[in-house]
Amino acid sequence: MKTELQAPLQKIVLIELLVPLALLLFGAYHGVLQVLYRAGVIRATSFAGIEYYQGLTLHGVINAIVLTTFFAVALGQVLVSQELESPISVLGSALSAVLMLLGAVMAAAMIFLGKATVLYTFYPPLKAHPIFYAGLAIFVVGSWIPLYTFIPVYLRWRKNNPGKKTPMAVVGMFATFIVWQLCTLPVAYEVLVMLLPWSLGWTAGINVVLSRTLFWFFGHALVYFWLLPIYVLYYTMLPRLAGGKLFSDFAGRFSFMMFIVLSTPLGLHHQFADPGISSAWKGMQMVLTLMVAIPSMLTAFTVAASMELGARARGGTGLFGWWKKVPCFCTDNWLFSYLFCGLAIFLFGGVTGLINASYSMNNVIHNTAWLPAHFHLTVGGPVFLGILGMSLFLITGILKKPVVAPKLAVAVPYMWMLGTFTFSTGLFLGGLRGEPRRTNLGLTYLNPASPAYRPDWWISTHIGAVGGCIMGLAILTYFIVLIRSLAGAPAAALEREAFAVPLSETYHDENVPALRNFTPWITAAVLLIVVAYAVPISDIVKGNYKGAPGYAPDNPVAIEKAP
Ligand code: HAS
């Protein structure tokens, strides 16, 4: 029997899960408004006191940065202390939570006040209030701390358990935070050395190419920082929830190590259209981007094989007949449906990622509606559903409360899947016809009174709007389940047992010594980053570009004089 998470850490984890979920209400509301603006249902620059781009910034920052980072930290704290059977520092965890909350409040306050309408990518020349940048920096520093609370616990465990394999969940959480540590250093530089002084008026003008490059150095690794905690759930929980075992221990460990090496040196695939960077380096990073799909493909096969093991153990037969025994709608096992629907959505998110990554095809879809379609099938698919499901599981588990209305709980991921598929169909179609992303279409292209009117975009934007509304409904249903469960009393049977995350056994337990040590993989990652970025960054610095003045997103005229 695993020991239960210590009481103060339980409180910290609950705060780290519940606060971002409460903020998600705003984040999700602005998502629904987005599709209504895009379809021309709302034809205005603002709605209920919040401007279009301000709402879009809230949507991105809350959903893609705040919710995901808090979740990774909370999950890491739970799994590392559970699997290494040793408490992690409460002081360190509390400090991390306080800094992250402070940073999130500072950034959110500036967005709500309309002083940081810079979208979640916050790249210049869009300019925000200094408190927004300071908030971001504090938030990131807070999210660095957990790794340093995990390391001493891990070293102690290794000393006491010589020769034993590090538990898979710990390997996955370490991979997550190693990637995070590597990729956040350049964005910390961008925020502290470039954006903050610029926003304070201490420096005139900003080097847009350099700051975008530093952002995307961080920005693509960020997507794997979102994904890896969910892969931890796929490798360690899903096989057990499916009634089986993890098909291959090697596949999990190898995938996590591959992500350490390959998550960062490929951010230029977001900048294929940017000037000032040689095509040769863009091409090289394209190859690395295609390579980072390999651990995901490995994951697809391993997870499918694990589900097959479970289904056959439950009486499934035949080449495809075993699918009937996969517990897709089982209410006692409601968490499975969140992970399963996430996987099904990710099939399409992954394939469209490969299209984006191809240098030539990227020209067709870059900055079109295709992009939000892609990322609502990735971060908005497996990641978001994994966060929703696992947060409900952890919150109710720690509070020893049963999940009320498990049928509704199971309905949520299917509604979400229907919503994202519909939404993305609309946006993929629109993107291929040139519909731009991040644009208030209702005022222009979807407005019959405008000379820019594009009636051929009506269908795609309306399909998107229907999908977006279904997604909104799924989130509302989730909150009904969560709030009703929180309002319920603890169950006596649950109170008698220590709460622990149920993890899978392994079917093929291969022993590969090279996967037992992080050091060579981290070294390879650093070397590859240097190879992929040294020349492009040095070229940009040598380019000595003229600094750009600040801009607001709704005005083509700069908000200040050019330096
Ligand atoms: Fe991406 C842009 C390429 C994965 C998120 N991506 C974005 C943006 C976001 C994002 C947010 O190369 C927009 C950023 C912005 O605001 O501008 N992406 C890729 C590639 C992958 C990929 C090659 N992306 C992700 C993940 C994300 C994410 C993961 C979030 C978590 N992406 C790009 C590129 C761009 C981009 C370009 C820039 C484009 C531009 O022009 O701006 C790969 O890692 C994907 C590999 C995945 C697979 C799928 C494996 C399938 C699995 C499921 C198996 C299912 C089973 C169940 C077993 C190969 C694991 C079956 C059951 C049934 C019932 C069928």
Side-chain angles (χ1 to χ4, degrees), residues 120 216 223-224 226 269-270 296 300 340 343 346-347 350 353 356-357 362 366 371 374-375 378-379 437:
Y120 89 101
W216 284 118
V223 314
Y224 297 116
W226 296 334
H269 69 231
H270 291 265
S296 283
F340 177 75
L343 278 171
F346 193 40
L347 268 182
N356 304 346
N362 183 274
H366 182 63
L371 256 291
H374 159 69
F375 66 71
T378 50
V379 62
R437 68 184 284 202

PDB file of all heavy atoms in Angstrom, residues 120 216 223-224 226 269-270 296 300 340 343 346-347 350 353 356-357 362 366 371 374-375 378-379 437, ligand 1:
ATOM      1  N   TYR A 120      -1.330  35.196 -26.232  1.00  0.00           N
ATOM      2  CA  TYR A 120      -0.557  34.339 -25.331  1.00  0.00           C
ATOM      3  C   TYR A 120       0.910  34.227 -25.748  1.00  0.00           C
ATOM      4  O   TYR A 120       1.760  33.829 -24.970  1.00  0.00           O
ATOM      5  CB  TYR A 120      -1.212  32.953 -25.192  1.00  0.00           C
ATOM      6  CG  TYR A 120      -0.762  31.930 -26.202  1.00  0.00           C
ATOM      7  CD1 TYR A 120       0.178  30.960 -25.869  1.00  0.00           C
ATOM      8  CD2 TYR A 120      -1.271  31.923 -27.501  1.00  0.00           C
ATOM      9  CE1 TYR A 120       0.605  30.023 -26.808  1.00  0.00           C
ATOM     10  CE2 TYR A 120      -0.859  31.003 -28.430  1.00  0.00           C
ATOM     11  CZ  TYR A 120       0.076  30.049 -28.077  1.00  0.00           C
ATOM     12  OH  TYR A 120       0.494  29.136 -29.005  1.00  0.00           O
ATOM     13  N   TRP A 216      10.104  31.339 -29.666  1.00  0.00           N
ATOM     14  CA  TRP A 216       9.792  30.019 -30.244  1.00  0.00           C
ATOM     15  C   TRP A 216      10.800  28.939 -29.836  1.00  0.00           C
ATOM     16  O   TRP A 216      10.476  27.748 -29.882  1.00  0.00           O
ATOM     17  CB  TRP A 216       9.621  30.098 -31.760  1.00  0.00           C
ATOM     18  CG  TRP A 216       8.290  30.710 -32.079  1.00  0.00           C
ATOM     19  CD1 TRP A 216       8.050  31.862 -32.753  1.00  0.00           C
ATOM     20  CD2 TRP A 216       6.991  30.214 -31.673  1.00  0.00           C
ATOM     21  NE1 TRP A 216       6.695  32.120 -32.799  1.00  0.00           N
ATOM     22  CE2 TRP A 216       6.030  31.129 -32.139  1.00  0.00           C
ATOM     23  CE3 TRP A 216       6.553  29.103 -30.944  1.00  0.00           C
ATOM     24  CZ2 TRP A 216       4.661  30.962 -31.915  1.00  0.00           C
ATOM     25  CZ3 TRP A 216       5.188  28.931 -30.724  1.00  0.00           C
ATOM     26  CH2 TRP A 216       4.270  29.852 -31.208  1.00  0.00           C
ATOM     27  N   VAL A 223       4.911  23.092 -25.949  1.00  0.00           N
ATOM     28  CA  VAL A 223       3.817  22.172 -26.282  1.00  0.00           C
ATOM     29  C   VAL A 223       4.107  20.769 -25.754  1.00  0.00           C
ATOM     30  O   VAL A 223       3.196  20.026 -25.387  1.00  0.00           O
ATOM     31  CB  VAL A 223       3.442  22.148 -27.787  1.00  0.00           C
ATOM     32  CG1 VAL A 223       3.315  23.534 -28.370  1.00  0.00           C
ATOM     33  CG2 VAL A 223       4.337  21.269 -28.612  1.00  0.00           C
ATOM     34  N   TYR A 224       5.399  20.415 -25.683  1.00  0.00           N
ATOM     35  CA  TYR A 224       5.704  19.088 -25.106  1.00  0.00           C
ATOM     36  C   TYR A 224       5.663  19.124 -23.586  1.00  0.00           C
ATOM     37  O   TYR A 224       5.405  18.104 -22.953  1.00  0.00           O
ATOM     38  CB  TYR A 224       7.036  18.559 -25.661  1.00  0.00           C
ATOM     39  CG  TYR A 224       6.920  18.368 -27.159  1.00  0.00           C
ATOM     40  CD1 TYR A 224       7.675  19.106 -28.045  1.00  0.00           C
ATOM     41  CD2 TYR A 224       5.957  17.505 -27.677  1.00  0.00           C
ATOM     42  CE1 TYR A 224       7.490  18.989 -29.420  1.00  0.00           C
ATOM     43  CE2 TYR A 224       5.768  17.380 -29.038  1.00  0.00           C
ATOM     44  CZ  TYR A 224       6.534  18.123 -29.906  1.00  0.00           C
ATOM     45  OH  TYR A 224       6.328  18.013 -31.253  1.00  0.00           O
ATOM     46  N   TRP A 226       3.327  20.671 -22.159  1.00  0.00           N
ATOM     47  CA  TRP A 226       1.896  20.401 -21.960  1.00  0.00           C
ATOM     48  C   TRP A 226       1.613  18.907 -22.114  1.00  0.00           C
ATOM     49  O   TRP A 226       0.823  18.318 -21.391  1.00  0.00           O
ATOM     50  CB  TRP A 226       1.049  21.134 -23.008  1.00  0.00           C
ATOM     51  CG  TRP A 226       1.094  22.615 -22.969  1.00  0.00           C
ATOM     52  CD1 TRP A 226       1.374  23.418 -21.890  1.00  0.00           C
ATOM     53  CD2 TRP A 226       0.847  23.514 -24.071  1.00  0.00           C
ATOM     54  NE1 TRP A 226       1.318  24.727 -22.252  1.00  0.00           N
ATOM     55  CE2 TRP A 226       0.999  24.822 -23.582  1.00  0.00           C
ATOM     56  CE3 TRP A 226       0.505  23.328 -25.410  1.00  0.00           C
ATOM     57  CZ2 TRP A 226       0.814  25.948 -24.385  1.00  0.00           C
ATOM     58  CZ3 TRP A 226       0.325  24.450 -26.208  1.00  0.00           C
ATOM     59  CH2 TRP A 226       0.478  25.735 -25.709  1.00  0.00           C
ATOM     60  N   HIS A 269      10.368  26.030 -36.790  1.00  0.00           N
ATOM     61  CA  HIS A 269       9.249  25.640 -37.670  1.00  0.00           C
ATOM     62  C   HIS A 269       8.037  26.563 -37.470  1.00  0.00           C
ATOM     63  O   HIS A 269       7.085  26.502 -38.231  1.00  0.00           O
ATOM     64  CB  HIS A 269       8.878  24.149 -37.528  1.00  0.00           C
ATOM     65  CG  HIS A 269       8.271  23.772 -36.233  1.00  0.00           C
ATOM     66  ND1 HIS A 269       8.710  22.723 -35.466  1.00  0.00           N
ATOM     67  CD2 HIS A 269       7.232  24.289 -35.541  1.00  0.00           C
ATOM     68  CE1 HIS A 269       7.978  22.624 -34.378  1.00  0.00           C
ATOM     69  NE2 HIS A 269       7.074  23.551 -34.410  1.00  0.00           N
ATOM     70  N   HIS A 270       8.083  27.391 -36.435  1.00  0.00           N
ATOM     71  CA  HIS A 270       7.042  28.422 -36.282  1.00  0.00           C
ATOM     72  C   HIS A 270       7.429  29.687 -37.030  1.00  0.00           C
ATOM     73  O   HIS A 270       6.663  30.634 -37.076  1.00  0.00           O
ATOM     74  CB  HIS A 270       6.851  28.771 -34.800  1.00  0.00           C
ATOM     75  CG  HIS A 270       6.245  27.658 -34.016  1.00  0.00           C
ATOM     76  ND1 HIS A 270       4.897  27.558 -33.763  1.00  0.00           N
ATOM     77  CD2 HIS A 270       6.804  26.576 -33.431  1.00  0.00           C
ATOM     78  CE1 HIS A 270       4.651  26.468 -33.059  1.00  0.00           C
ATOM     79  NE2 HIS A 270       5.792  25.850 -32.843  1.00  0.00           N
ATOM     80  N   SER A 296       5.957  10.043 -30.401  1.00  0.00           N
ATOM     81  CA  SER A 296       4.489  10.038 -30.320  1.00  0.00           C
ATOM     82  C   SER A 296       3.922   8.835 -31.059  1.00  0.00           C
ATOM     83  O   SER A 296       2.944   8.220 -30.629  1.00  0.00           O
ATOM     84  CB  SER A 296       3.900  11.324 -30.898  1.00  0.00           C
ATOM     85  OG  SER A 296       4.065  12.359 -29.977  1.00  0.00           O
ATOM     86  N   ALA A 300       1.654   5.887 -29.650  1.00  0.00           N
ATOM     87  CA  ALA A 300       0.378   5.444 -30.223  1.00  0.00           C
ATOM     88  C   ALA A 300       0.321   3.915 -30.257  1.00  0.00           C
ATOM     89  O   ALA A 300      -0.653   3.299 -29.812  1.00  0.00           O
ATOM     90  CB  ALA A 300       0.225   6.009 -31.637  1.00  0.00           C
ATOM     91  N   PHE A 340      -8.991   8.153 -23.252  1.00  0.00           N
ATOM     92  CA  PHE A 340      -9.280   7.504 -24.536  1.00  0.00           C
ATOM     93  C   PHE A 340      -9.697   8.542 -25.589  1.00  0.00           C
ATOM     94  O   PHE A 340      -9.182   8.546 -26.715  1.00  0.00           O
ATOM     95  CB  PHE A 340     -10.379   6.454 -24.337  1.00  0.00           C
ATOM     96  CG  PHE A 340     -10.778   5.791 -25.614  1.00  0.00           C
ATOM     97  CD1 PHE A 340      -9.951   4.844 -26.198  1.00  0.00           C
ATOM     98  CD2 PHE A 340     -11.967   6.120 -26.245  1.00  0.00           C
ATOM     99  CE1 PHE A 340     -10.300   4.234 -27.402  1.00  0.00           C
ATOM    100  CE2 PHE A 340     -12.327   5.520 -27.443  1.00  0.00           C
ATOM    101  CZ  PHE A 340     -11.492   4.574 -28.015  1.00  0.00           C
ATOM    102  N   LEU A 343      -6.802  10.485 -26.828  1.00  0.00           N
ATOM    103  CA  LEU A 343      -5.994   9.757 -27.819  1.00  0.00           C
ATOM    104  C   LEU A 343      -6.627   9.832 -29.201  1.00  0.00           C
ATOM    105  O   LEU A 343      -5.946  10.076 -30.203  1.00  0.00           O
ATOM    106  CB  LEU A 343      -5.901   8.280 -27.422  1.00  0.00           C
ATOM    107  CG  LEU A 343      -4.856   7.892 -26.387  1.00  0.00           C
ATOM    108  CD1 LEU A 343      -5.065   6.456 -25.964  1.00  0.00           C
ATOM    109  CD2 LEU A 343      -3.453   8.084 -26.940  1.00  0.00           C
ATOM    110  N   PHE A 346      -6.094  13.100 -30.665  1.00  0.00           N
ATOM    111  CA  PHE A 346      -4.683  13.390 -30.977  1.00  0.00           C
ATOM    112  C   PHE A 346      -4.221  12.761 -32.290  1.00  0.00           C
ATOM    113  O   PHE A 346      -3.290  13.252 -32.918  1.00  0.00           O
ATOM    114  CB  PHE A 346      -3.795  12.947 -29.808  1.00  0.00           C
ATOM    115  CG  PHE A 346      -2.378  13.474 -29.902  1.00  0.00           C
ATOM    116  CD1 PHE A 346      -2.118  14.766 -30.335  1.00  0.00           C
ATOM    117  CD2 PHE A 346      -1.291  12.687 -29.550  1.00  0.00           C
ATOM    118  CE1 PHE A 346      -0.822  15.261 -30.417  1.00  0.00           C
ATOM    119  CE2 PHE A 346       0.011  13.169 -29.630  1.00  0.00           C
ATOM    120  CZ  PHE A 346       0.244  14.457 -30.071  1.00  0.00           C
ATOM    121  N   LEU A 347      -4.884  11.671 -32.681  1.00  0.00           N
ATOM    122  CA  LEU A 347      -4.538  11.095 -33.987  1.00  0.00           C
ATOM    123  C   LEU A 347      -4.570  12.180 -35.064  1.00  0.00           C
ATOM    124  O   LEU A 347      -3.657  12.319 -35.865  1.00  0.00           O
ATOM    125  CB  LEU A 347      -5.565  10.028 -34.372  1.00  0.00           C
ATOM    126  CG  LEU A 347      -5.279   8.588 -33.979  1.00  0.00           C
ATOM    127  CD1 LEU A 347      -6.392   7.690 -34.487  1.00  0.00           C
ATOM    128  CD2 LEU A 347      -3.944   8.133 -34.555  1.00  0.00           C
ATOM    129  N   GLY A 350      -2.007  15.124 -34.390  1.00  0.00           N
ATOM    130  CA  GLY A 350      -0.642  14.736 -34.729  1.00  0.00           C
ATOM    131  C   GLY A 350      -0.407  14.774 -36.229  1.00  0.00           C
ATOM    132  O   GLY A 350       0.583  15.325 -36.712  1.00  0.00           O
ATOM    133  N   GLY A 353      -0.078  18.154 -37.473  1.00  0.00           N
ATOM    134  CA  GLY A 353       1.218  18.711 -37.070  1.00  0.00           C
ATOM    135  C   GLY A 353       2.285  18.373 -38.101  1.00  0.00           C
ATOM    136  O   GLY A 353       3.139  19.198 -38.427  1.00  0.00           O
ATOM    137  N   ASN A 356       1.962  20.751 -40.898  1.00  0.00           N
ATOM    138  CA  ASN A 356       2.529  22.067 -40.539  1.00  0.00           C
ATOM    139  C   ASN A 356       4.046  22.060 -40.636  1.00  0.00           C
ATOM    140  O   ASN A 356       4.665  23.054 -40.996  1.00  0.00           O
ATOM    141  CB  ASN A 356       2.213  22.439 -39.087  1.00  0.00           C
ATOM    142  CG  ASN A 356       0.748  22.421 -38.772  1.00  0.00           C
ATOM    143  OD1 ASN A 356      -0.070  22.376 -39.666  1.00  0.00           O
ATOM    144  ND2 ASN A 356       0.415  22.456 -37.491  1.00  0.00           N
ATOM    145  N   ALA A 357       4.620  20.917 -40.252  1.00  0.00           N
ATOM    146  CA  ALA A 357       6.073  20.850 -40.145  1.00  0.00           C
ATOM    147  C   ALA A 357       6.756  20.825 -41.513  1.00  0.00           C
ATOM    148  O   ALA A 357       7.943  21.093 -41.608  1.00  0.00           O
ATOM    149  CB  ALA A 357       6.472  19.602 -39.360  1.00  0.00           C
ATOM    150  N   ASN A 362       3.690  24.246 -45.207  1.00  0.00           N
ATOM    151  CA  ASN A 362       3.444  25.260 -44.187  1.00  0.00           C
ATOM    152  C   ASN A 362       3.033  26.603 -44.802  1.00  0.00           C
ATOM    153  O   ASN A 362       2.266  27.362 -44.207  1.00  0.00           O
ATOM    154  CB  ASN A 362       4.709  25.411 -43.324  1.00  0.00           C
ATOM    155  CG  ASN A 362       4.519  26.398 -42.196  1.00  0.00           C
ATOM    156  OD1 ASN A 362       4.705  27.588 -42.364  1.00  0.00           O
ATOM    157  ND2 ASN A 362       4.114  25.892 -41.054  1.00  0.00           N
ATOM    158  N   HIS A 366       0.097  28.587 -42.861  1.00  0.00           N
ATOM    159  CA  HIS A 366       0.664  29.463 -41.821  1.00  0.00           C
ATOM    160  C   HIS A 366      -0.256  30.662 -41.562  1.00  0.00           C
ATOM    161  O   HIS A 366      -0.728  31.303 -42.480  1.00  0.00           O
ATOM    162  CB  HIS A 366       2.054  29.943 -42.257  1.00  0.00           C
ATOM    163  CG  HIS A 366       2.719  30.801 -41.234  1.00  0.00           C
ATOM    164  ND1 HIS A 366       3.043  30.325 -39.984  1.00  0.00           N
ATOM    165  CD2 HIS A 366       3.107  32.100 -41.245  1.00  0.00           C
ATOM    166  CE1 HIS A 366       3.617  31.297 -39.284  1.00  0.00           C
ATOM    167  NE2 HIS A 366       3.653  32.386 -40.023  1.00  0.00           N
ATOM    168  N   LEU A 371      -4.391  26.654 -38.141  1.00  0.00           N
ATOM    169  CA  LEU A 371      -3.549  26.510 -36.949  1.00  0.00           C
ATOM    170  C   LEU A 371      -4.372  26.278 -35.678  1.00  0.00           C
ATOM    171  O   LEU A 371      -4.122  25.309 -34.954  1.00  0.00           O
ATOM    172  CB  LEU A 371      -2.631  27.728 -36.812  1.00  0.00           C
ATOM    173  CG  LEU A 371      -1.184  27.486 -37.199  1.00  0.00           C
ATOM    174  CD1 LEU A 371      -0.515  26.585 -36.203  1.00  0.00           C
ATOM    175  CD2 LEU A 371      -1.081  26.846 -38.580  1.00  0.00           C
ATOM    176  N   HIS A 374      -5.544  22.823 -35.664  1.00  0.00           N
ATOM    177  CA  HIS A 374      -4.498  21.870 -35.250  1.00  0.00           C
ATOM    178  C   HIS A 374      -4.346  21.868 -33.737  1.00  0.00           C
ATOM    179  O   HIS A 374      -4.374  20.813 -33.099  1.00  0.00           O
ATOM    180  CB  HIS A 374      -3.173  22.233 -35.928  1.00  0.00           C
ATOM    181  CG  HIS A 374      -1.957  21.689 -35.248  1.00  0.00           C
ATOM    182  ND1 HIS A 374      -1.649  20.338 -35.222  1.00  0.00           N
ATOM    183  CD2 HIS A 374      -0.947  22.306 -34.545  1.00  0.00           C
ATOM    184  CE1 HIS A 374      -0.511  20.154 -34.556  1.00  0.00           C
ATOM    185  NE2 HIS A 374      -0.074  21.315 -34.122  1.00  0.00           N
ATOM    186  N   PHE A 375      -4.242  23.059 -33.147  1.00  0.00           N
ATOM    187  CA  PHE A 375      -3.887  22.990 -31.720  1.00  0.00           C
ATOM    188  C   PHE A 375      -5.081  22.725 -30.804  1.00  0.00           C
ATOM    189  O   PHE A 375      -4.890  22.372 -29.657  1.00  0.00           O
ATOM    190  CB  PHE A 375      -2.978  24.142 -31.274  1.00  0.00           C
ATOM    191  CG  PHE A 375      -3.525  25.538 -31.279  1.00  0.00           C
ATOM    192  CD1 PHE A 375      -4.475  25.946 -30.364  1.00  0.00           C
ATOM    193  CD2 PHE A 375      -3.005  26.483 -32.156  1.00  0.00           C
ATOM    194  CE1 PHE A 375      -4.922  27.248 -30.339  1.00  0.00           C
ATOM    195  CE2 PHE A 375      -3.445  27.790 -32.140  1.00  0.00           C
ATOM    196  CZ  PHE A 375      -4.415  28.174 -31.230  1.00  0.00           C
ATOM    197  N   THR A 378      -4.676  19.113 -30.247  1.00  0.00           N
ATOM    198  CA  THR A 378      -3.474  18.676 -29.513  1.00  0.00           C
ATOM    199  C   THR A 378      -3.598  19.167 -28.069  1.00  0.00           C
ATOM    200  O   THR A 378      -4.083  18.442 -27.215  1.00  0.00           O
ATOM    201  CB  THR A 378      -2.192  19.207 -30.194  1.00  0.00           C
ATOM    202  OG1 THR A 378      -2.320  20.607 -30.424  1.00  0.00           O
ATOM    203  CG2 THR A 378      -1.930  18.515 -31.508  1.00  0.00           C
ATOM    204  N   VAL A 379      -3.249  20.458 -27.883  1.00  0.00           N
ATOM    205  CA  VAL A 379      -3.378  20.960 -26.508  1.00  0.00           C
ATOM    206  C   VAL A 379      -4.855  20.968 -26.084  1.00  0.00           C
ATOM    207  O   VAL A 379      -5.187  20.705 -24.923  1.00  0.00           O
ATOM    208  CB  VAL A 379      -2.699  22.344 -26.345  1.00  0.00           C
ATOM    209  CG1 VAL A 379      -3.322  23.392 -27.213  1.00  0.00           C
ATOM    210  CG2 VAL A 379      -2.729  22.802 -24.915  1.00  0.00           C
ATOM    211  N   ARG A 437      -6.216  33.467 -38.949  1.00  0.00           N
ATOM    212  CA  ARG A 437      -6.429  33.260 -37.506  1.00  0.00           C
ATOM    213  C   ARG A 437      -6.376  34.625 -36.833  1.00  0.00           C
ATOM    214  O   ARG A 437      -6.035  35.623 -37.456  1.00  0.00           O
ATOM    215  CB  ARG A 437      -5.367  32.315 -36.943  1.00  0.00           C
ATOM    216  CG  ARG A 437      -3.975  32.896 -36.931  1.00  0.00           C
ATOM    217  CD  ARG A 437      -2.909  31.923 -36.455  1.00  0.00           C
ATOM    218  NE  ARG A 437      -2.912  31.725 -35.025  1.00  0.00           N
ATOM    219  CZ  ARG A 437      -1.855  31.276 -34.323  1.00  0.00           C
ATOM    220  NH1 ARG A 437      -0.717  30.977 -34.942  1.00  0.00           N
ATOM    221  NH2 ARG A 437      -1.926  31.095 -33.033  1.00  0.00           N
TER     222      ARG A 437
HETATM  223 FE1  HAS B   1       1.931  21.663 -33.158  1.00  0.00          FE
HETATM  224  C1  HAS B   1       1.771  24.928 -34.259  1.00  0.00           C
HETATM  225  C2  HAS B   1       4.000  20.866 -35.732  1.00  0.00           C
HETATM  226  C3  HAS B   1       2.320  18.472 -31.876  1.00  0.00           C
HETATM  227  C4  HAS B   1       0.439  22.644 -30.219  1.00  0.00           C
HETATM  228  N1  HAS B   1       1.209  23.428 -32.402  1.00  0.00           N
HETATM  229  C5  HAS B   1       1.206  24.659 -33.043  1.00  0.00           C
HETATM  230  C6  HAS B   1       0.568  25.623 -32.195  1.00  0.00           C
HETATM  231  C7  HAS B   1       0.227  24.977 -31.043  1.00  0.00           C
HETATM  232  C8  HAS B   1       0.624  23.604 -31.186  1.00  0.00           C
HETATM  233  C9  HAS B   1      -0.438  25.604 -29.823  1.00  0.00           C
HETATM  234  O1  HAS B   1       5.787  22.367 -37.698  1.00  0.00           O
HETATM  235  C10 HAS B   1       0.285  27.085 -32.561  1.00  0.00           C
HETATM  236  C11 HAS B   1       1.297  28.023 -32.006  1.00  0.00           C
HETATM  237  C12 HAS B   1       0.933  29.437 -32.358  1.00  0.00           C
HETATM  238  O2  HAS B   1       0.153  30.030 -31.610  1.00  0.00           O
HETATM  239  O3  HAS B   1       1.373  29.910 -33.402  1.00  0.00           O
HETATM  240  N2  HAS B   1       2.910  19.964 -33.740  1.00  0.00           N
HETATM  241  C13 HAS B   1       3.680  19.849 -34.837  1.00  0.00           C
HETATM  242  C14 HAS B   1       4.178  18.479 -34.945  1.00  0.00           C
HETATM  243  C15 HAS B   1       3.694  17.810 -33.846  1.00  0.00           C
HETATM  244  C16 HAS B   1       2.923  18.753 -33.091  1.00  0.00           C
HETATM  245  C17 HAS B   1       5.037  17.905 -36.006  1.00  0.00           C
HETATM  246  N3  HAS B   1       1.454  20.725 -31.403  1.00  0.00           N
HETATM  247  C18 HAS B   1       1.733  19.427 -31.069  1.00  0.00           C
HETATM  248  C19 HAS B   1       1.313  19.160 -29.732  1.00  0.00           C
HETATM  249  C20 HAS B   1       0.785  20.342 -29.251  1.00  0.00           C
HETATM  250  C21 HAS B   1       0.887  21.318 -30.321  1.00  0.00           C
HETATM  251  C22 HAS B   1       1.462  17.839 -29.026  1.00  0.00           C
HETATM  252  C23 HAS B   1       0.211  20.676 -27.929  1.00  0.00           C
HETATM  253  C24 HAS B   1       0.158  19.879 -26.910  1.00  0.00           C
HETATM  254  N4  HAS B   1       2.693  22.692 -34.710  1.00  0.00           N
HETATM  255  C25 HAS B   1       3.580  22.188 -35.615  1.00  0.00           C
HETATM  256  C26 HAS B   1       4.048  23.284 -36.485  1.00  0.00           C
HETATM  257  C27 HAS B   1       3.426  24.445 -36.067  1.00  0.00           C
HETATM  258  C28 HAS B   1       2.579  24.036 -34.945  1.00  0.00           C
HETATM  259  C29 HAS B   1       4.998  23.203 -37.592  1.00  0.00           C
HETATM  260  C30 HAS B   1       3.620  25.861 -36.619  1.00  0.00           C
HETATM  261  C31 HAS B   1       2.798  26.132 -37.798  1.00  0.00           C
HETATM  262  C32 HAS B   1       2.823  27.586 -38.195  1.00  0.00           C
HETATM  263  O4  HAS B   1       2.913  27.820 -39.404  1.00  0.00           O
HETATM  264  O5  HAS B   1       2.710  28.500 -37.370  1.00  0.00           O
HETATM  265  C33 HAS B   1       4.001  16.341 -33.507  1.00  0.00           C
HETATM  266  O6  HAS B   1       4.638  16.260 -32.258  1.00  0.00           O
HETATM  267  C34 HAS B   1       2.787  15.479 -33.558  1.00  0.00           C
HETATM  268  C35 HAS B   1       3.128  14.004 -33.414  1.00  0.00           C
HETATM  269  C36 HAS B   1       1.909  13.208 -33.089  1.00  0.00           C
HETATM  270  C37 HAS B   1       1.509  12.114 -33.725  1.00  0.00           C
HETATM  271  C38 HAS B   1       0.219  11.466 -33.318  1.00  0.00           C
HETATM  272  C39 HAS B   1       0.388  10.247 -32.439  1.00  0.00           C
HETATM  273  C40 HAS B   1      -0.963   9.739 -32.057  1.00  0.00           C
HETATM  274  C41 HAS B   1      -1.322   9.298 -30.814  1.00  0.00           C
HETATM  275  C42 HAS B   1      -2.744   8.875 -30.604  1.00  0.00           C
HETATM  276  C43 HAS B   1      -2.935   7.391 -30.821  1.00  0.00           C
HETATM  277  C44 HAS B   1      -4.376   7.030 -30.648  1.00  0.00           C
HETATM  278  C45 HAS B   1      -4.836   5.837 -30.238  1.00  0.00           C
HETATM  279  C46 HAS B   1      -6.311   5.658 -30.016  1.00  0.00           C
HETATM  280  C47 HAS B   1      -3.961   4.670 -29.938  1.00  0.00           C
HETATM  281  C48 HAS B   1       2.269  11.541 -34.835  1.00  0.00           C
HETATM  282  C49 HAS B   1      -0.370   9.202 -29.669  1.00  0.00           C
HETATM  283  C50 HAS B   1      -6.998   5.252 -31.253  1.00  0.00           C
HETATM  284  C51 HAS B   1      -8.440   5.190 -30.999  1.00  0.00           C
HETATM  285  C52 HAS B   1      -9.399   5.395 -31.914  1.00  0.00           C
HETATM  286  C53 HAS B   1     -10.832   5.280 -31.556  1.00  0.00           C
HETATM  287  C54 HAS B   1      -9.069   5.772 -33.297  1.00  0.00           C
END
